[in-house]
Amino acid sequence: MTNTTPTFFGHPKGLQTLFFTEMWERFSYYGMRAILILFMTTPSTKGGLGLGVADAGAIYGIYTSMVYLACLPGGWIADRFIGQRQATLVGGCIIMCGHIVLALPNITYFYTGLALLVIGTGLLKPNISSMVGRLYSESDQRRDAGYSLYYMGINIGAFASPLVCGWLGQGVYFREILSGLGINPINAWHFSFGAAAVGMALGLLHYIYGKSTLIKIGDPPGASSFSLRMCLMTLGVCLIVAWIYSLSDVHLSPSQFGNVFGLILLGTTIAFFVWLLGSSWNIAEDRRRVIKILLLFLAATVFWSLFEQGGSTLTLFAERNTSRTILGITFPASWMQSLNPLFIIFLLGPAFTWLWFKLGSKGPNTTTKFVIGLLLISMGYGVMIGAAIIADSGKLVSPLWLVVMYLLHTMGEMCLSPVGLSAMSKLAPQRIASLTMGIWFLASSIGSYAGGRVAGLYEAMPLTHIFMALTILGLVSTIILSFSRRFINADTEPKQ
Ligand code: GLU
Ligand code: ASP
C-alpha cells in the first residue's frame, strides 16, 4: 500500500499529485470568482458586461450555487461509471475549456463558459477530495493530517489567484502594458480569465505527470445500464427544456431567472426534508436524528449565506466604498479576497490546529463549534455596520474594516467548515448515510445563491440595512442553535 512509503511530508506520494492539482484548480476557481461580479457590473465601455447589480448578483448566485449542486451528479457519475480518477481528469479539462471560452473577448460565450465551469467543477471537486481519503487505509492515522495539508493547498491557490487575476483584470499597470502592445486595455478582463485557464492547465499537467502515484485510487466500478439510462434521460430532458425555452417567447432577465431558480431550489429542499421526515423510520430515534440534521443544515446554510458574500457584496464594497490607496499605490478590489486564505495559511490554520490539540477533550464539541462559527461571522457583519454608516454618508472607508471582518469570518470558517460534514455523517441514520455529502453541498449551494442575491440589493438598499440584516440573521441563528445544542450533541459526540 502506498502509505508505507511516505514521500510528501510523510504522506503517500499521491497526496502531492492531488495537492498541486487542487491547488491550481482552486487558483482558477477563486481567481475567476474574484473578478466575476466586478466584470459583470463594469460598463461595456470599460470592457465589462455593463449589467445592473441586480442581474449581476442573480447570475453570480445561480453560477456559484450550481457549482455546488453539480458536485452531486459529479460524485454520482464517478461512483457509478468512470471512477474518481477519470472524473477528475475530465472535469479539469472541461474547467480549462470554460476559462478559455471566458478568455475570448466575446460576450456571447459568457454563459457557455460559466456552464462549462459548473460541469467541470462538479466532476472534479467532489472526486478529487474523496481520492485524498482513499490514499489511506481505514486504520491509517495520517488521514486527518493529510486532509489538513490538502486544505492548505486549496488555500494557497485561493490566496494567489485574486492577486494575479485581480492585477491582470483591474490593475492600471497591466492596462498600460496592453496599450503599449497595441491591445485595447479594456480587454484586460479576458487576460484575467486566461490566467485562470493557465492555472487549470498547470493543474492538469501535474495530474497527468503524477498519474502513476494514483494507481488503484478512484478506479471505475462496473457500470450499470440502469444508471446510464438515467444519466442519458436527465441529459435529454435538460436539452429539451433548453430547446423549448429558446423557441418560446418567454425570455427571462437574469433576475427573473434567478427568482425561478431560487424557487426551485427552495421547493426541492423543502420537499426533500418533508420526504425525509415523513419516511417510515424503523425506530423513533432515527426521526429525531433527521431533525438534528435539519437543524445543522439550516445553521450551515445561514453560515454559507453570510460567508459567500465574500465574492459578491463584500467585493462590491471593496470596489465602491473602500479606499484602496496605500502609500500612493492603488490596489484592485479583488485583492481583498486573498485575505481569507492568507489568514488560514499563516495564522488561523496553524493556530486553530494548535488550539484544538491543546484543549483536547476540554475543547468545544461539534455543535458548540457551529454556534461559535455563526457568532463570529455575525460579529464580522456587526463590524461592517460601522463601515456602512461611514460609507452611506458618501465617504470611502479604510480597508482595515474589511481586514477585521475577514479575520472574524475566517475564524468562523475554522470552527464550522472542518467539522460540518463529519457531524452530519455521525448523525445520519444508516439508510441515508450516502445522502449526507449531498445535504452538505446543498447547504453551500443555497448559501452561495443567497450570497449573489443579497449583492443584488446593493443599490436598492442602504448598506447599513444590508449589514444589519445579515448581522441579525447570524445572531438569531446563533441563539436558536445554542438552545438546540443539548438536543443535537447527544449523537455527535463520542459516547463516554
Ligand atoms: N474554501 C474551501 C474550498 O474551496 C471550502 C469551500 C466550502 O466548503 O464551501 O474547497
Ligand atoms: N477558505 C476558502 C477554502 O478553504 C477559500 C476562500 O474562501 O478563498 O477554500
Side-chain angles (χ1 to χ4, degrees):
M1 190 90 200
T2 29
N3 61 6
T4 52
T5 48
T7 43
F8 183 62
F9 294 107
H11 289 266
K13 187 87 175 155
L15 186 65
Q16 180 175 347
T17 307
L18 301 177
F19 177 99
F20 284 108
T21 308
E22 179 60 345
M23 183 189 88
W24 283 115
E25 186 273 330
R26 291 287 95 183
F27 175 96
S28 74
Y29 178 77
Y30 283 108
M32 186 273 184
R33 201 192 74 155
I35 57 158
L36 182 60
I37 200 135
L38 301 173
F39 169 66
M40 287 192 285
T41 50
T42 297
S44 43
T45 47
K46 293 188 176 157
L49 289 187
L51 293 175
V53 86
D55 282 342
I59 295 173
Y60 178 94
I62 297 169
Y63 162 67
T64 48
S65 169
M66 294 271 284
V67 163
Y68 283 105
L69 279 188
C71 291
L72 301 176
W76 178 76
I77 287 171
D79 285 345
R80 291 293 176 105
F81 308 114
I82 56 179
Q84 280 81 18
R85 209 174 49 236
Q86 195 78 3
T88 300
L89 181 66
V90 176
C93 291
I94 299 177
I95 292 174
M96 190 182 66
C97 293
H99 289 300
I100 292 174
V101 168
L102 289 175
L104 303 174
N106 186 330
I107 301 312
T108 330
Y109 298 132
F110 181 66
Y111 293 110
T112 315
L114 291 188
L116 288 172
L117 292 182
V118 167
I119 298 169
T121 314
L123 276 170
L124 185 143
K125 181 78 173 140
N127 294 315
I128 193 166
S129 305
S130 86
M131 272 199 289
V132 174
R134 285 164 198 247
L135 291 170
Y136 305 91
S137 65
E138 284 288 311
S139 55
D140 198 323
Q141 304 279 328
R142 296 171 302 170
R143 180 194 299 254
D144 283 355
Y147 267 109
S148 301
L149 200 55
Y150 173 76
Y151 188 59
M152 281 298 154
I154 288 179
N155 280 284
I156 294 171
F159 164 67
S161 58
L163 300 181
V164 174
C165 295
W167 184 75
L168 291 172
Q170 297 189 286
V172 181
Y173 184 59
F174 183 67
R175 289 183 180 226
E176 280 167 11
I177 297 178
L178 287 183
S179 299
L181 293 170
I183 300 170
N184 189 345
I186 67 169
N187 285 321
W189 297 104
H190 299 281
F191 283 85
S192 188
F193 294 129
V198 172
M200 192 62 250
L202 291 173
L204 278 172
L205 282 180
H206 241 286
Y207 192 65
I208 293 165
Y209 176 74
K211 218 172 53 195
S212 59
T213 64
L214 297 173
I215 289 169
K216 295 216 169 78
I217 308 290
D219 279 341
S224 96
S225 61
F226 170 73
S227 303
L228 190 59
R229 262 205 311 274
M230 280 276 289
C231 199
L232 290 175
M233 262 164 55
T234 314
L235 191 67
V237 170
C238 291
L239 288 177
I240 291 170
V241 170
W243 180 65
I244 294 175
Y245 176 68
S246 68
L247 290 184
S248 74
D249 285 339
V250 185
H251 287 294
L252 302 176
S253 70
S255 304
Q256 290 166 327
F257 193 72
N259 294 342
V260 175
F261 179 85
L263 283 176
I264 295 174
L265 196 59
L266 185 69
T268 317
T269 308
I270 293 175
F272 172 72
F273 275 103
V274 168
W275 167 74
L276 215 51
L277 286 166
S279 293
S280 53
W281 296 100
N282 291 340
I283 41 172
E285 175 55 22
D286 279 352
R287 185 165 286 113
R288 278 159 55 91
R289 283 170 167 256
V290 174
I291 298 173
K292 294 172 190 185
I293 290 184
L294 176 61
L295 284 169
L296 286 187
F297 167 81
L298 291 174
T301 304
V302 171
F303 181 86
W304 293 121
S305 304
L306 302 186
F307 184 84
E308 289 292 336
Q309 308 288 331
S312 57
T313 315
L314 297 167
T315 295
L316 288 174
F317 189 85
E319 166 88 352
R320 300 180 179 190
N321 301 96
T322 307
S323 156
R324 285 175 287 104
T325 304
I326 295 178
L327 301 173
I329 301 168
T330 304
F331 62 90
S334 41
W335 281 19
M336 297 307 281
Q337 288 191 47
S338 286
L339 283 172
N340 163 288
L342 179 76
F343 286 140
I344 291 179
I345 300 166
F346 294 108
L347 184 67
L348 299 178
F352 271 79
T353 309
W354 175 83
L355 184 70
W356 300 146
F357 177 76
K358 200 78 192 146
L359 291 175
S361 58
K362 286 197 221 85
N365 57 40
T366 308
T367 326
T368 308
K369 283 184 181 166
F370 261 67
V371 171
I372 302 172
L374 276 169
L375 181 64
L376 285 165
I377 203 150
S378 335
M379 283 166 60
Y381 284 111
V383 168
M384 286 308 288
I385 297 174
I389 292 173
I390 305 174
D392 278 338
S393 72
K395 295 198 195 93
L396 290 180
V397 309
S398 156
L400 281 179
W401 289 97
L402 280 170
V403 174
V404 173
M405 186 224 65
Y406 273 119
L407 185 63
L408 290 165
H409 280 196
T410 313
M411 285 163 70
E413 182 188 352
M414 295 284 91
C415 291
L416 185 142
S417 181
V419 294
L421 181 56
S422 82
M424 286 205 188
S425 327
K426 280 185 212 154
L427 282 170
Q430 190 54 35
R431 216 173 81 199
I432 59 158
S434 58
L435 280 181
T436 33
M437 179 78 112
I439 298 174
W440 184 245
F441 277 130
L442 190 60
S444 293
S445 174
I446 300 176
S448 301
Y449 171 77
R453 293 320 297 269
V454 172
L457 301 172
Y458 205 87
E459 287 162 359
M461 269 171 93
L463 289 171
T464 331
H465 292 185
I466 296 184
F467 290 130
M468 219 179 259
L470 294 172
T471 310
I472 293 170
L473 174 67
L475 286 178
V476 170
S477 314
T478 310
I479 293 167
I480 295 175
L481 192 67
S482 62
F483 279 119
S484 325
R485 243 169 356 138
R486 248 176 218 200
F487 171 62
I488 301 174
N489 277 345
D491 294 301
T492 52
E493 300 315 308
K495 304 273 176 292
Q496 298 300 314

